[in-house]
């Protein structure tokens, strides 16, 4: 069980850093500062962060920034990186045109 | 940036067929079947697109189709990963602004 | 850790967070929200099409669906300090056959009877409203006051704002049972044994509400069903309306940043069987079937690339409308569940009404038809 | 058009996937292997350096050749390899959806092996999104697959084996590597790889990281700075380089998304998000296996053995092999794997600072921070002896599992012994004939032949040379030291190439006798100058 309010008190208030403008999610253009600030707004999981800021929601689906976001969030939460669970993986693993999917009837060609 | 004509380990580059493609309307040459990215790089093109939110320039980053930073408008279709899409004769390759070929 | 409160809300979804917000806004000092998973909005709240619509709804739901659109949604972004991307540009419910049109006509007539502006439009008008749609569409119902919003930022917006206003949230806090004290439901006991106690318990935990309510002898007749959605890469801006079809082939819209979000089924959902429901697997056919369904109505999207699919559980009430209200046979317990896949758009109104119920005030509209004990045998 | 069913579906035709398919096919299993790339072999095809290990690990064979060998073996045993086939989903009931060409196809396997390998980690700094900042893997892909130059002047970030190997490859392709930096205080990769780069004149900046990639539209320069103990830049330590390319080699992460998607139990480790699996690669879902980097980052050599272990395990799981057969094969393979996991760079030693070799010799401090062993330090290692007559000088100073030099010398001048990680020792009793096979066989390019007094006052140094253009006999140039700095003028006296050397040319230069233990690299006159 995580007591969000207590955890927020433990980590203290958001303090701006010089490198807050640094881009983390290249696809959706989300910065380090935005991620750090969101933690102080109660966003503690990658699942929530993706939904809140759209990091990892773009074309590459977080394949590039996932690890970076995890470590930024963990540092802000004053925890080790494994405290923050990675985003769950979903099909399709690569972007696919709808018309290609649309032809699929569940089988394979000989 | 150029091609590696003769490599100490890999030897001479494989012979390919030189074809013409169009980069923002300008004719350029590249090897048929090589990734569009390779042909652009040989022609000195570094910027593939400008991002939607902050209009930053982007180019090749991972070169294996994962990061999707190198996407361009190819034959009218946006978001084509140029690092893994083979070059064909006559292809129209355009700088992508956000998700379209025109500057917003 | 504070384990007593005026109100304990079970379920950190959009309904739970909205209820917490409206309670805090109306002056309730101590509100605790318990979320079973690690993330706020882990369930259906963030796994839906974002429809904020009135058309197509059961008449029992319409009054509060309309109330929310008239009074709550327009100012929600400013109120929460988070862009919920509310877009009120109308909803087209599309038909391709005469049977479809008859069905749509019936729904429209029902809605009109309670004062909702819904009209039938012909093929030409459909093209005028949205030129991207298939020419095979012969007509549609059109509700210009419908729209869509971003369910992710709406849920988290309510969470963030209510947190700022003093609501306490606990995640990874799975409820095992409720317990009565002196005849009144007061205690909420977690699977780890932690006991929370409140003057009032609000249960809005989706399908899981059924098992929790049962621990105090209340049955909420509903089943669960898994549904899949997908999202495309960013596309140039095309249209702002919400789309649905008469035969429920798909639903969805273009989100503000350009992606299209659609939901659909492959027909296998009713018999989906999985060992571990928390994994939220879909099967290998749904995504393709969904794409076919969408392309049948919006063929110009064929080149759009799908970047992600996901799924979520629906809590289907036996008669298709939610259970909202006090449990007459379990004093102290108020429920809101069984939203049957269309709860997101009404969540602000439901949250507001729940806060009123907790305060013993009249709900903004009459919802007695949604009473949790409404199930009666039909023979 | 129904779902196609296979005994075994392998996802990824890299070293692990191909090895597993081959091993299973040897026992009668009919595997199908999918790979999203146009060429099989995974990263092997980008690896043009010679591998370490012993014969059974395909030591001294270049990565891409190993890829070709694996492919030929797969073909021989009837393994079906489908290329340009991207597995986009892995579902319960062991169903995979594969994008092949413009179609999605469905396959079901009685067993599934996920061998999807790894992807590169990234690090962010100001300007990291500028065109010209690329992954080290991207550089390898450009050079070794597409035969194009990633840039002209490159700064490499990362001193692990990938950073070191790719730096060398960049120079082989014709790029200039202006510097190699790493935030860590010590070089992470093999000392021999670092030494190859350092003697080409590349400066190493340890405890340094990138402050900013400069440029408006693309990279035109980079500023690095020294990091203090708090990982912050120490003011005043900034250094600027004009570069057009910045290469990032900051580690790899398992590409385990498919396993997660299929519902396999996962573990969040320092090395990435990996499936919980046993020594044979069995995940928490019966019939789904993982092998190679996807289950934890190691070298390609280990991935091949892990693949074979999973292959025989799957053969037994499917009833194609007997339990005893499996067990004896696995114990054989595990012994090979154990060998590879020994030495200073063993997984168990990750992150540890090793002070002494297994022989009790102090590790070269200079090597760990500058990339080369200093003239003062080199004499203490057993491969380095002082003799007048021609003899090998083996500048192998760290315990890594590798022994091709021992096999290469038919005269018995080199001995490593039964412990594969031991440092090579020069046996003075046996006479070196200067054949140079040891020089060409050393995957770390750490062996030189040295002979005093080939003419009065002058001796000869023979070195491995893998650059273009190849110098010609009689050419006058400059001999450089281990640090890449010019030490004296020299003359090329011999250039040997042979199929047996496999593109490692042997270059012999004549230098004054007192330079024989210093001169370790050759530069043509026009490109070198004395400081």
């Amino acid at each position: 069980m995580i007591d969000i309010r207590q955890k927020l008190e433990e980590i203290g208030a958001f303090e701006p850093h010089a490198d807050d403008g640094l881009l983390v999610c290249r696809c959706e253009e989300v910065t380090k500062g935005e991620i750090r600030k969101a933690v102080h707004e109660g966003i503690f999981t990658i699942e929530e962060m993706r939904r809140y800021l759209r990091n990892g929601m773009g074309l590459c689906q977080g394949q590039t920034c996932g690890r970076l976001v995890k470590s930024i969030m963990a540092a802000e939460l004053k925890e080790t990186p494994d405290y923050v669970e990675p985003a769950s993986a979903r099909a399709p693993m690569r972007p696919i045109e709808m018309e290609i999917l649309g032809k699929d009837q569940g089988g394979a060609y000989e | 940036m150029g091609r590696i004509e003769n490599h100490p380990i890999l030897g001479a580059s494989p012979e390919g067929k030189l074809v013409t493609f169009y980069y923002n309307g300008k004719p350029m040459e590249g090897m048929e079947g090589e990734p569009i990215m390779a042909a652009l790089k040989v022609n000195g093109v570094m910027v593939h697109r400008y991002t939607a939110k902050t209009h930053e320039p982007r180019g090749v980053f991972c070169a294996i189709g994962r990061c999707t930073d190198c996407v361009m408008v190819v034959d009218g279709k946006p978001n084509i990963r140029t690092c893994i899409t083979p070059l064909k004769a006559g292809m129209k390759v355009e700088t992508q602004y956000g998700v379209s070929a025109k500057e917003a | 850790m504070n384990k007593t409160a005026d109100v304990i809300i079970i379920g950190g979804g959009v309904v739970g967070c909205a209820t917490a917000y409206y309670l805090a806004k109306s002056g309730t000092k101590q509100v605790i929200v318990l979320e079973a998973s690690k993330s706020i909005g882990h369930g259906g709240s963030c796994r839906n099409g974002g429809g904020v619509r009135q058309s197509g709804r059961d008449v029992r739901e319409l009054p509060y669906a309309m109330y929310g659109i008239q009074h709550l949604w327009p100012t929600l972004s400013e109120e929460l300090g988070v862009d919920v991307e509310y877009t009120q540009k109308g909803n087209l419910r599309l038909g391709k056959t005469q049977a479809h049109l008859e069905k749509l006509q019936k729904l429209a007539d029902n809605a009109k009877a309670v004062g909702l502006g819904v009209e039938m439009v012909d093929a030409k008008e459909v093209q005028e409203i949205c030129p991207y749609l298939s020419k095979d569409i012969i007509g549609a119902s059109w509700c210009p006051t419908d729209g869509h919003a971003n369910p992710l930022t709406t849920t988290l917006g309510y969470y963030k704002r209510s947190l700022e206003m003093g609501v306490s949230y606990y995640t990874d806090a799975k409820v095992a049972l409720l317990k009565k004290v002196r005849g009144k439901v007061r205690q909420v006991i977690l699977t780890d044994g932690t006991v929370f106690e409140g003057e009032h318990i609000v249960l809005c935990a989706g399908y899981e509400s059924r098992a929790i309510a049962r621990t105090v002898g209340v049955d909420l007749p509903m089943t669960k069903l898994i549904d899949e959605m997908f999202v495309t890469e960013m596309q140039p801006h095309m249209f702002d309306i919400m789309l649905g079809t008469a035969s429920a082939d798909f639903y969805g819209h273009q989100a503000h940043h350009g992606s299209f979000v659609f939901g659909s089924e492959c027909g296998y959902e009713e018999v989906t069987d999985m060992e571990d429901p928390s994994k939220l697997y879909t099967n290998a056919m749904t995504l393709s079937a969904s794409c076919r369904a969408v392309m049948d109505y919006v063929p110009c999207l064929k080149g759009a690339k799908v970047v992600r699919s996901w799924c979520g559980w629906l809590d289907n009430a036996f008669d298709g409308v939610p259970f909202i209200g006090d449990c007459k046979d379990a004093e102290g317990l108020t429920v809101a569940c069984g939203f049957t896949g269309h709860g997101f758009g009404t969540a602000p109104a439901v949250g507001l009404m729940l806060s009123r119920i907790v305060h013993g005030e009249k709900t903004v509209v009459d919802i007695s038809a949604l009473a949790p004990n409404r199930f009666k045998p039909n023979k | 058009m129904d779902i196609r069913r296979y005994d075994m579906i392998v996802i990824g035709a890299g070293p692990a996937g191909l090895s597993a398919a081959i091993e299973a096919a040897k026992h009668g299993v009919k595997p199908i292997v999918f790979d999203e790339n146009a060429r099989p072999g995974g990263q092997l095809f980008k690896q043009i350096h010679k591998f370490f290990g012993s014969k059974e690990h395909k030591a001294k064979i270049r990565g891409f050749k190993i890829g070709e060998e694996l492919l030929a073996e797969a073909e021989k045993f009837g393994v079906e390899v489908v290329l340009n086939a991207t597995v986009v989903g892995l579902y319960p009931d062991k169903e995979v959806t594969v994008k092949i060409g413009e179609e999605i196809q469905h396959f079901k396997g009685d067993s599934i092996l996920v061998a999807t390998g790894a992807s590169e980690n990234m690090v962010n700094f100001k300007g990291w999104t500028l065109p010209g900042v690329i992954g080290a893997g991207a550089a390898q892909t450009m050079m070794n697959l597409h035969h194009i130059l990633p840039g002209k002047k490159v700064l490499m970030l990362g001193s692990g084996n990938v950073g070191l190997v790719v730096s060398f490859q960049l120079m082989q392709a014709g790029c200039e590597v202006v510097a190699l930096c790493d935030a860590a205080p010590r070089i992470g990769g093999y000392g021999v790889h670092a030494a190859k780069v350092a003697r080409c004149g590349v400066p190493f900046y340890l405890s340094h990281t990138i402050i900013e990639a400069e440029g408006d539209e693309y990279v035109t320069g980079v500023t690095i700075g020294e990091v203090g103990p708090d990982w912050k830049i120490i003011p005043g330590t900034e250094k600027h380089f004009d570069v057009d390319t910045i290469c990032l080699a900051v580690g790899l992460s398992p590409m385990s998304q498919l396993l997660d998607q299929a519902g396999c139990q996962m573990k969040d480790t320092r090395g990435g998000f990996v499936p919980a699996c046993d020594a044979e690669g069995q995940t928490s879902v019966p019939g789904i296996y993982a092998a190679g980097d996807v289950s934890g980052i190691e070298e390609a050599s280990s991935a091949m053995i892990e693949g074979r272990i999973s292959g025989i395990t799957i053969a037994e799981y499917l009833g194609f092999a007997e339990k005893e057969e499996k067990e004896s094969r696995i114990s054989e393979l595990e012994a090979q794997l154990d060998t590879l996991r020994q030495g200073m760079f063993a997984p168990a030693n990750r992150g540890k600072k090793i002070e002494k070799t297994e022989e009790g010799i102090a590790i070269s401090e200079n090597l760990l921070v500058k990339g080369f062993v200093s003239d003062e330090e080199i004499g203490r290692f057993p491969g380095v002896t002082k003799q007048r007559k021609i003899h090998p000088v083996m500048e192998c100073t760290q315990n890594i599992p590798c022994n091709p030099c021992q096999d290469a010398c038919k005269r018995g001048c080199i001995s490593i012994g039964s412990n594969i990680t031991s440092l090579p020792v020069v046996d003075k009793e046996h006479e070196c004939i200067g054949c140079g096979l040891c020089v060409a066989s050393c995957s770390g390019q750490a062996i030189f032949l040295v002979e005093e007094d080939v003419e009065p006052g002058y001796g000869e140094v023979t070195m491995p040379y893998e650059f273009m253009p190849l110098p010609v006999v009689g050419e006058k140039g400059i001999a450089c030291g281990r640090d890449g700095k010019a030490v004296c003028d020299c003359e090329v006296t011999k250039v040997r190439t042979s199929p047996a050397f496999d593109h490692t040319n042997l270059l012999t230069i004549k230098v004054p006798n007192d330079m024989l233990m210093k001169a370790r690299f050759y530069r043509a006159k026009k490109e070198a100058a004395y400081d």
Side-chain angles (χ1 to χ4, degrees):
Chain A
M1 186 168 60
I2 294 153
D3 182 337
I4 304 284
R5 181 161 301 286
Q6 191 191 328
K7 186 86 191 155
L8 282 174
E9 279 163 22
E10 278 170 25
I11 65 173
F14 169 73
E15 284 170 24
H17 288 174
D19 64 350
D20 279 344
L22 203 55
L23 215 57
V24 178
C25 170
R26 300 169 68 101
C27 300
E28 293 293 317
E29 303 176 76
V30 179
T31 65
K32 186 174 178 183
E34 290 174 289
I35 293 168
R36 288 182 51 245
K37 192 159 177 285
V39 170
H40 294 270
E41 291 171 351
I43 306 297
F44 288 5
T45 69
I46 293 242
E47 183 180 327
E48 292 166 349
M49 193 65 83
R50 288 167 58 96
R51 291 167 175 173
Y52 196 56
L53 297 179
R54 290 198 51 80
N55 55 285
M57 298 271 246
L59 263 182
C60 96
Q61 285 292 300
Q63 295 200 63
T64 314
C65 68
R67 234 181 128 100
L68 294 169
V69 174
K70 202 162 135 73
S71 63
I72 293 167
M73 288 180 69
E76 210 58 30
L77 286 162
K78 299 191 158 72
E79 300 280 354
T80 52
D82 62 339
Y83 182 86
V84 183
E85 282 176 23
S88 42
R90 301 271 184 242
M93 294 307 297
R94 301 280 180 268
I96 305 176
E97 286 87 347
M98 282 175 70
E99 66 178 328
I100 294 180
L101 286 159
K103 284 187 291 185
D104 163 30
Q105 294 284 349
Y109 299 82
E110 288 306 321
Chain B
M1 294 294 166
R3 297 186 188 278
I4 303 167
E5 301 298 342
N6 201 0
H7 190 283
I9 311 299
L10 300 168
S13 288
E15 298 220 347
K17 187 179 150 200
L18 220 49
V19 294
T20 300
F21 68 102
Y22 299 89
Y23 165 70
N24 291 339
K26 186 181 143 200
M28 281 183 177
E29 283 190 329
M31 295 288 181
E32 187 177 52
E34 74 180 345
I36 297 169
M37 162 277 286
L40 289 173
K41 209 151 171 59
V42 170
N43 282 280
V45 176
M46 293 293 287
V47 180
H48 287 216
R49 67 178 182 114
Y50 291 88
T51 61
K53 221 155 121 182
T54 53
H55 314 289
E56 278 186 356
R58 294 287 171 84
V60 179
F61 186 53
C62 82
I64 49 168
R66 302 247 156 78
C67 77
T68 63
D69 245 343
C70 67
V71 297
M72 297 178 86
V73 180
V74 176
D75 288 336
K77 278 200 205 168
N79 285 347
I80 301 296
R81 292 174 290 172
T82 55
C83 68
I84 53 163
T85 305
L87 183 74
K88 291 185 193 129
M91 244 178 186
K92 289 182 181 63
V93 180
E94 293 167 277
T95 308
Q96 183 169 321
Y97 297 86
V99 283
S100 66
K102 283 183 196 69
E103 212 162 339
Chain C
M1 183 170 40
N2 185 18
K3 286 187 241 152
T4 59
D6 299 321
V7 186
I8 293 173
I9 297 170
I10 304 170
V14 66
V15 172
C17 294
T19 306
Y21 166 74
Y22 291 110
L23 279 168
K25 195 182 168 194
S26 62
T28 309
K29 287 274 172 286
Q30 290 178 312
V31 180
I32 286 175
V33 181
L34 302 173
E35 166 54 39
S37 79
K38 285 181 178 158
S39 295
I40 296 298
H42 178 71
S45 304
C46 290
R47 300 170 190 275
N48 65 76
V52 180
R53 52 174 185 82
Q54 309 143 101
S55 60
R57 285 188 187 270
D58 189 289
V59 288
R60 289 170 287 180
E61 286 187 283
L62 267 175
Y64 65 89
M66 289 164 68
Y67 181 89
I69 284 169
Q70 286 158 16
H71 301 282
L72 303 174
W73 279 106
T75 55
L76 197 56
S77 291
E78 289 118 86
E79 237 185 295
L80 301 180
V82 169
D83 185 7
V84 301
E85 299 173 19
Y86 176 54
T87 309
Q88 192 179 21
K89 292 286 170 70
N91 178 44
L92 270 183
R93 189 165 291 249
L94 308 166
K96 283 189 168 182
T97 66
Q98 214 49 50
H100 288 163
L101 294 190
E102 281 159 27
K103 189 175 169 187
L104 294 172
Q105 184 72 58
K106 210 168 149 189
L107 281 164
D109 291 344
N110 288 342
K112 273 187 203 161
V114 291
L116 178 68
V118 189
E119 49 184 306
M120 293 300 292
V121 290
D122 64 18
K124 191 165 154 274
E125 289 166 306
V126 166
Q127 291 298 327
E128 278 164 16
I129 294 166
C130 184
Y132 299 95
L133 300 177
S134 162
K135 302 279 186 288
D136 297 342
I137 296 162
I138 61 167
S141 69
W142 169 239
C143 177
T145 54
D146 278 353
H148 53 79
N150 180 338
L152 319 176
T153 54
T154 304
T155 306
L156 291 166
Y158 272 121
Y159 162 66
K160 180 202 158 206
R161 190 71 194 105
S162 59
L163 193 61
E164 285 165 2
M165 292 163 81
V167 173
S168 291
Y169 279 85
Y170 295 85
T171 56
D172 204 8
K174 193 169 165 51
V175 173
L177 59 127
L178 301 175
K179 197 160 176 276
K180 287 185 184 177
V181 177
R182 294 172 211 251
K184 195 171 172 243
V185 180
R186 284 187 61 89
Q187 288 188 343
V188 181
I189 303 169
L190 302 191
T191 49
D192 68 3
T194 313
V195 180
F196 286 86
E197 190 156 345
E199 300 299 321
H200 214 112
I201 312 298
V202 177
L203 178 58
C204 44
Y207 177 76
E208 276 63 40
S209 305
R210 187 172 190 174
I212 295 169
R214 190 171 271 156
T215 62
V216 286
V218 172
D219 187 33
L220 302 164
M222 54 182 170
T223 57
K224 65 174 181 174
L225 181 73
I226 198 161
D227 244 23
E228 183 161 303
M229 300 198 60
F230 69 87
V231 61
T232 70
E233 63 190 333
M234 204 186 275
Q235 295 288 303
H237 174 263
M238 289 190 218
F239 54 85
D240 295 312
I241 59 167
M242 181 77 193
L243 290 176
T245 72
S247 53
D249 310 77
F250 79 94
Y251 55 90
H253 68 274
Q254 183 171 26
H256 280 195
H257 65 277
S259 293
F260 279 88
V261 184
F262 291 113
S264 181
E265 296 173 354
C266 75
Y268 194 71
E269 288 75 10
E270 296 279 358
V271 289
T272 295
D273 168 38
M274 57 184 69
E275 278 173 42
D276 178 1
S278 72
K279 291 287 184 207
L280 289 166
Y281 305 129
T282 51
N283 68 66
M285 296 174 288
T286 314
L287 179 57
S288 297
S290 303
C291 288
R292 274 193 289 283
V294 173
M295 286 188 296
D296 274 352
Y297 287 86
V298 202
C300 66
L301 286 180
K302 65 179 189 184
K305 294 192 237 14
V306 175
V307 294
R308 188 175 177 91
S309 65
W310 65 93
C311 55
W313 292 102
L314 270 57
D315 46 347
N316 283 350
F318 75 102
D319 58 354
V321 293
F323 306 104
I324 306 174
D326 282 331
C327 289
K328 293 280 180 284
D329 35 8
E331 199 195 335
L333 178 66
T334 304
V335 302
C337 59
F339 286 94
T340 318
H342 46 259
F344 169 69
T346 58
V350 171
L352 178 67
M353 292 194 298
L354 288 170
S355 75
R356 299 271 172 103
I357 292 170
V358 166
H359 289 145
E361 297 163 1
K362 262 185 81 173
T363 50
V364 288
V365 295
D366 179 31
I367 50 163
S368 52
L370 304 175
N373 64 350
R374 67 177 180 266
F375 178 73
K376 298 285 182 296
N378 63 0
K379 286 193 182 68
Chain D
M1 192 186 67
D2 290 324
I3 281 187
R4 263 158 80 186
R5 291 179 186 269
Y6 280 83
D7 296 332
M8 177 186 186
I9 294 174
V10 179
I11 308 172
L18 282 179
S19 302
I22 292 164
E23 186 74 22
K26 279 183 184 169
H27 292 88
V29 176
K30 292 256 171 301
I32 186 165
V33 185
F34 296 111
D35 196 290
E36 69 173 319
N37 299 297
R39 287 179 75 177
Q43 301 309 302
L44 282 175
F45 272 99
K46 299 172 194 169
Q47 298 185 349
I48 57 169
H49 63 280
K50 293 177 177 176
F51 273 44
F52 293 84
S54 66
K55 224 183 254 164
E56 64 200 1
H57 308 120
K58 301 193 186 288
K60 80 169 184 176
I61 303 178
R62 295 185 191 272
F64 69 100
K65 292 276 180 201
I66 297 176
E68 283 165 9
E69 283 180 15
L70 276 179
L71 200 61
E73 204 181 350
E75 206 163 280
K76 185 174 133 200
F77 288 102
V79 174
E80 195 178 340
V81 180
V82 188
L83 299 172
N84 295 311
T86 310
V87 173
V88 290
L90 173 56
Y91 295 87
D93 304 328
K94 299 191 273 290
E95 178 171 353
V96 295
T97 46
V98 193
K99 180 175 176 261
I100 302 171
E102 300 291 287
E103 273 155 5
I104 299 292
Q105 303 199 32
H106 295 242
F107 298 82
K108 274 190 178 181
D110 292 329
S111 66
I112 301 226
L113 176 77
V114 178
T116 42
S119 62
E120 293 183 277
N121 294 341
M122 291 303 164
V123 61
N124 55 350
F125 43 83
K126 198 173 171 207
W128 76 299
T129 55
L130 274 177
V133 179
I134 58 172
Q140 273 192 316
T141 305
M142 290 179 196
M143 296 184 290
N144 303 340
L145 284 187
H146 307 314
H147 310 278
I148 60 166
L149 288 171
K152 290 195 179 86
K153 291 173 83 126
V154 188
L155 176 119
M156 175 67 70
L157 177 71
S159 71
N161 277 338
V162 174
L164 298 172
V165 165
V166 175
S167 294
F168 192 71
Q169 288 177 11
L170 282 163
M171 292 186 282
Q172 288 181 303
C175 307
E176 183 190 346
V177 178
V178 300
L180 190 149
C181 71
D182 196 317
R186 295 183 301 273
I187 288 169
Y190 289 177
V192 283
H193 279 320
K196 284 194 307 192
V197 175
R199 64 175 170 259
C200 295
V202 178
F204 282 62
Y205 292 93
L206 274 291
S207 299
H208 274 70
T209 196
I210 297 174
I211 299 171
E212 184 181 357
E214 295 140 5
D216 296 325
E217 292 283 287
Y218 46 82
V219 173
T220 54
V222 62
T223 299
I224 65 170
E226 190 177 344
V227 290
D230 59 352
W231 297 98
K232 292 207 170 81
I233 304 288
I234 302 169
T237 61
E238 297 83 359
K239 288 160 197 79
H240 170 86
F241 299 93
D242 286 334
V243 295
D244 53 38
T245 304
I246 297 169
C247 223
L248 309 178
V250 290
L252 301 167
S253 283
M255 270 209 296
S256 56
Q257 293 95 333
L258 282 171
L259 290 155
D260 184 28
Q261 198 194 322
C264 297
Q265 202 189 321
M266 305 295 287
K267 287 190 301 190
D268 200 0
T269 67
R270 276 177 69 96
F273 200 49
V274 294
C277 55
D278 66 16
E280 278 102 60
Q282 167 71 60
T283 68
S284 64
V285 178
I288 300 187
Y289 295 79
D293 276 357
V294 74
S295 56
I297 308 296
E298 278 186 80
E299 300 291 327
S301 323
S302 325
M304 286 186 276
I305 305 172
E306 276 184 36
R308 292 199 187 263
I309 291 174
S310 291
I312 179 72
T313 305
I314 288 169
E316 195 259 351
Y317 170 78
L318 297 172
F320 286 86
E322 296 303 322
K323 196 154 180 263
E324 299 71 39
E325 203 178 349
K326 171 187 119 173
E327 277 167 4
S328 80
R329 178 72 174 132
I330 285 184
S331 61
E332 185 186 321
L333 290 164
E334 275 176 347
Q336 290 181 17
L337 198 54
D338 284 347
T339 314
L340 279 180
R341 287 175 175 163
Q342 283 168 21
M344 285 177 182
F345 294 87
N349 284 336
R350 231 164 252 175
K352 286 187 198 156
K353 188 186 176 190
I354 309 278
E355 308 275 351
K356 281 184 163 37
T357 70
E358 288 164 12
E359 294 80 3
I361 304 163
I363 298 290
S364 158
E365 281 295 323
N366 222 40
L367 179 65
L368 296 179
V369 294
K370 296 274 178 213
F372 58 90
V373 182
S374 70
D375 293 346
E376 295 71 40
E377 293 166 321
I378 197 70
R380 64 184 184 233
F381 297 96
V384 182
T385 54
K386 193 154 166 39
Q387 300 177 47
R388 276 200 64 233
K389 61 182 186 4
I390 192 161
H391 66 287
V393 172
M394 294 176 288
E395 306 196 345
C396 180
T397 68
Q398 291 174 324
N399 303 108
I400 52 179
C402 188
N403 66 6
C405 54
Q406 177 174 252
D407 298 336
C409 183
K410 304 291 176 238
R411 313 289 296 188
C413 302
I414 300 171
S415 81
I416 283 180
S418 57
N419 184 3
I420 190 176
T421 58
S422 298
L423 299 182
V425 177
V426 179
D427 188 339
K428 290 191 190 172
E429 299 305 305
H430 295 86
E431 195 186 357
C432 171
I433 53 163
C435 70
L437 280 169
C438 60
V439 178
S441 79
C442 177
S443 309
Q445 298 189 17
I447 304 183
F448 304 84
L449 297 178
V450 172
E451 184 177 12
E452 269 182 39
D453 291 325
V454 288
E455 62 182 66
Y458 284 87
E460 281 180 345
V461 178
T462 299
M463 61 187 69
Y465 195 84
E466 293 187 353
F467 295 95
M468 290 287 207
L470 200 55
V472 290
V473 173
E475 193 176 301
K476 300 269 185 353
I478 289 170
C480 300
R482 295 179 189 89
D483 59 0
K485 296 207 171 92
V487 291
C488 61
D489 284 356
C490 67
E491 184 188 335
V492 176
T493 51
K494 236 185 282 172
V495 178
R496 284 183 276 176
T497 58
S498 153
F501 299 159
D502 183 17
H503 296 85
T504 307
N505 309 294
L506 305 192
L507 187 66
T508 305
I509 55 170
K510 188 174 75 181
V511 294
N513 278 335
D514 60 350
M515 290 297 160
L516 287 170
M517 284 311 287
K518 290 193 162 89
R520 289 296 176 264
F521 193 61
Y522 171 83
R523 275 181 187 280
K525 264 246 160 91
K526 60 180 183 322
E527 50 170 313
Y530 295 95
D531 288 333

